[in-house]
Amino acid sequence: MDLMQERWTTPVVERPAVERAAWRFREILALPEVGERFERVRRWFHLRESTYDVTNRCNLRCDGCYYYEGEKQFARETPDPTAWRELLDAERARGITYVVLAGAEPALVPDVLQACHDAIPLGCVATNGVLPVPGSIGYRMHVSVWGDDATSARVRGMPGMLRRQLEVWRGDPRAVFVYTFTRENIDQADDVVATLAAADAKVTFNMFSAPVGYAGPLRHDAASLAATRARMLELLDRHPRHVLFSPYSAVAHTQPLGLHDLFGCSYPRCNPSTFIGLGRSFRQYRTDLTWDRQVSCCVPDTDCADCRHYASGSAVVTARMHRHASHPDTFRAWLDYVDTYLAVWVAGYEKGANLCRQPPAPPRAVGEEERS
Amino acid sequence: MASNAGAMDLRTLDDRGLELRIAEILISELKLEDVTADTFDVGLDLVDELGIDSMDLTTVALVLQDVFRVAIDEDDYPRLKSVRAIREYIRSKIAGA
Ligand code: SF4
């Protein structure tokens, strides 16, 4: 089945058929819905992120957890909120405007989260969602979901996990549930997303991206990438009010090549340039408040060749505006991607209707071979 | 967006004229206040001193492509460090075309 030929009911903005050989940027922006959406997302171009492991403790111990796969878990914890406040004040002073607080489980250190929020109020907490986080901490809350309850019981050691997560987060506008597709849980997404939609919760999609050295059964292959893309598009179609995603997000994250090979990752771990952007300003702090440029990225223990992580894409695809600005279709696709990223990561940002219903393959950089 | 609808004929512009046009684009795209094309410091470092971010630099690069009809490669962004550097870059693209 050709996925792009499927029937669509996802809200999209109809557009006139326009075909020409070469487009100039301002001609693309002159298309009404394109210029309007560009101005909307452009207001957030000032976001400059860094990430922080705020604790090395967790209330769960999930198989394949990124955090406990790597070395960061051995860093000494800094429990003093004052130390975090001082660090985040210094971060703000060097231009950081957006923080991703992760760990192990950040909900175990609410005083640290509060101190961070008091210093930099835009950000996101990556949580397993089992514990509540005080309402005064106005960050986006990304609640991780790894499959249905049977899978969660097996892999995360917690029975009734989705029910518990919904008890904690139902009706909380900060929460976005993040369903991570592995090779083994593709079919389970139907029931999980239906349950979340019935609870009026928002959900977005992530791709399992293998940690360095991992060769286990969760790693995607060609068949699971295609099946995941089909499932993502179906769910986006079926639950348009609750699934924060775009057709192009599905296409970009299920290519045979990972994000680094497709787009050229701009995180310092992959990018030696300190000229501008993430290569210049991004840091990944461990719990002992140290950082190391050589390993700095949003998912430091991930194999770059297999990286399709939603956090990575949010930065890496977004940064590649230039190569998407050659045609209205690719630019609409990019705008949908950025609109999705903002809705997922920025509390209060409302996702617009997707503009591109038949997304093209990710564009290559000038001079590169045709890929995927 | 920058108001100039057509592409510039670079043969009619001397270096100062080209720098003024580049400064106008920067002022328009970055919504800069308290500066005019005439008073824009052509040596001002856009990243280190003006604090331009990567997405705004991309927007500027795309508008420069439109206005001056030169192809700007993403890898060349580090060469767009100031009005003067952009002027030299555009001249070099024209000379190499
Ligand atoms: S793991 Fe992903 S985000 Fe991290 S440096 Fe590699 S490609 Fe970039």
Side-chain angles (χ1 to χ4, degrees):
Chain A
M1 178 176 61
D2 182 349
L3 294 172
M4 295 305 116
Q5 299 304 315
E6 286 188 62
R7 180 182 58 83
W8 282 85
T9 55
T10 303
V12 292
V13 173
E14 295 296 341
R15 61 182 194 273
V18 275
E19 264 330 314
R20 343 180 352 170
W23 285 83
R24 284 190 279 152
F25 183 51
R26 290 180 305 172
E27 292 170 333
I28 295 172
L29 292 184
L31 300 169
E33 85 283 3
V34 175
E36 184 188 320
R37 184 65 57 84
F38 180 69
E39 287 305 321
R40 187 156 180 260
V41 303
R42 191 181 182 179
R43 277 181 230 132
W44 297 94
F45 280 6
H46 67 280
L47 294 182
R48 275 184 203 176
E49 67 155 308
S50 279
T51 70
Y52 310 81
D53 289 336
V54 289
T55 176
N56 53 25
R57 289 171 289 132
C58 190
N59 53 326
L60 302 178
R61 194 55 65 101
C62 309
D63 291 346
C65 169
Y66 292 109
Y67 189 78
Y68 291 112
E69 290 287 334
E71 294 297 313
K72 300 187 301 162
Q73 59 175 308
F74 303 115
R76 186 177 44 82
E77 183 155 335
T78 305
D80 178 11
T82 307
W84 282 97
R85 176 65 198 250
E86 287 170 2
L87 173 69
L88 272 280
D89 282 342
E91 289 289 277
R92 195 182 62 238
R94 75 176 181 90
I96 297 302
T97 54
Y98 188 96
V99 295
V100 179
L101 306 182
E105 177 46 57
L108 289 171
V109 290
D111 292 348
V112 170
L113 302 187
Q114 188 67 61
C116 294
H117 188 262
D118 291 346
I120 299 181
L122 276 174
C124 168
V125 174
T127 175
N128 59 40
V130 170
L131 302 169
V133 174
S136 57
I137 299 162
Y139 291 138
R140 261 288 189 237
M141 300 288 159
H142 284 187
V143 179
S144 61
V145 183
W146 291 17
D148 63 15
D149 273 354
T151 296
S152 292
R154 179 169 50 84
V155 176
R156 314 188 79 175
M158 182 169 182
M161 184 140 183
L162 192 62
R163 190 183 66 239
R164 172 61 187 161
Q165 290 170 320
L166 278 171
E167 278 170 13
V168 173
W169 296 105
R170 188 187 295 268
D172 191 324
R174 297 174 298 172
V176 173
F177 290 74
V178 181
Y179 188 94
T180 296
F181 280 92
T182 71
R183 201 164 81 205
E184 294 192 329
N185 70 3
I186 299 167
D187 292 343
Q188 298 166 29
D190 281 15
D191 285 348
V192 171
V193 174
T195 301
L196 292 169
D200 206 20
K202 303 287 191 203
V203 57
T204 193
F205 300 137
N206 182 30
M207 292 294 284
F208 176 78
S209 304
V212 175
Y214 177 86
L218 304 183
R219 190 179 188 119
H220 281 284
D221 57 21
S224 71
L225 289 170
T228 299
R229 184 189 303 182
R231 193 54 51 101
M232 286 172 165
L233 293 170
E234 279 172 30
L235 290 169
L236 177 58
D237 202 17
R238 209 180 295 159
H239 304 285
R241 282 199 313 114
H242 297 102
V243 172
L244 299 177
F245 217 55
S246 74
Y248 186 58
S249 309
V251 168
H253 283 261
T254 55
Q255 296 290 308
L257 292 175
L259 293 168
H260 178 49
D261 288 326
L262 278 175
F263 294 104
C265 178
S266 32
Y267 281 102
R269 185 175 158 215
C270 263
N271 171 19
S273 170
T274 57
F275 168 60
I276 203 166
L278 290 172
R280 182 182 179 91
S281 58
F282 180 86
R283 294 177 184 174
Q284 197 278 321
Y285 283 89
R286 306 183 189 100
T287 48
D288 60 1
L289 310 188
T290 65
W291 65 284
D292 176 355
R293 183 180 164 83
Q294 301 306 317
V295 295
S296 277
C297 86
C298 54
V299 279
D301 302 305
T302 300
D303 178 355
C304 294
D306 197 54
C307 180
R308 298 180 182 84
H309 200 273
Y310 79 116
S312 168
S314 297
V316 173
V317 181
T318 299
R320 295 304 181 192
M321 177 169 102
H322 188 126
R323 70 178 66 175
H324 288 86
S326 57
H327 189 279
D329 286 343
T330 50
F331 200 64
R332 284 189 183 95
W334 180 84
L335 285 169
D336 287 345
Y337 192 100
V338 178
D339 192 47
T340 298
Y341 138 64
L342 290 170
V344 168
W345 292 88
V346 178
Y349 183 94
E350 288 293 327
K351 171 126 181 49
N354 287 316
L355 304 176
C356 180
R357 66 165 72 191
Q358 295 183 325
R364 62 208 158 106
V366 174
E368 290 184 358
E369 297 299 313
E370 187 73 63
R371 295 182 291 201
S372 70
Chain B
M1 298 304 303
S3 58
N4 189 338
M8 304 293 293
D9 183 348
L10 293 174
R11 287 164 304 190
T12 66
L13 281 179
D14 60 12
D15 282 351
R16 179 61 186 154
L18 182 50
E19 287 175 353
L20 286 171
R21 188 68 192 100
I22 293 164
E24 281 172 16
I25 290 168
L26 284 165
I27 291 166
S28 168
E29 290 308 317
L30 305 179
K31 300 178 173 52
L32 300 178
E33 293 169 358
D34 304 327
V35 65
T36 66
D38 263 331
T39 62
F40 205 107
D41 175 357
V42 298
L44 182 77
D45 189 300
L46 300 178
V47 177
D48 291 341
E49 294 176 278
L50 194 59
I52 187 172
D53 63 41
S54 56
M55 301 303 288
D56 277 332
L57 182 62
T58 303
T59 306
V60 167
L62 289 166
V63 173
L64 290 170
Q65 278 195 159
D66 277 5
V67 172
F68 298 115
R69 299 272 173 99
V70 293
I72 298 177
D73 193 283
E74 289 171 292
D75 291 341
D76 286 344
Y77 283 7
R79 295 175 62 183
L80 311 179
K81 279 194 70 100
S82 66
V83 169
R84 182 184 298 125
I86 293 171
R87 187 253 296 158
E88 289 167 355
Y89 176 81
I90 290 171
R91 290 277 188 229
S92 74
K93 296 292 280 191
I94 298 294

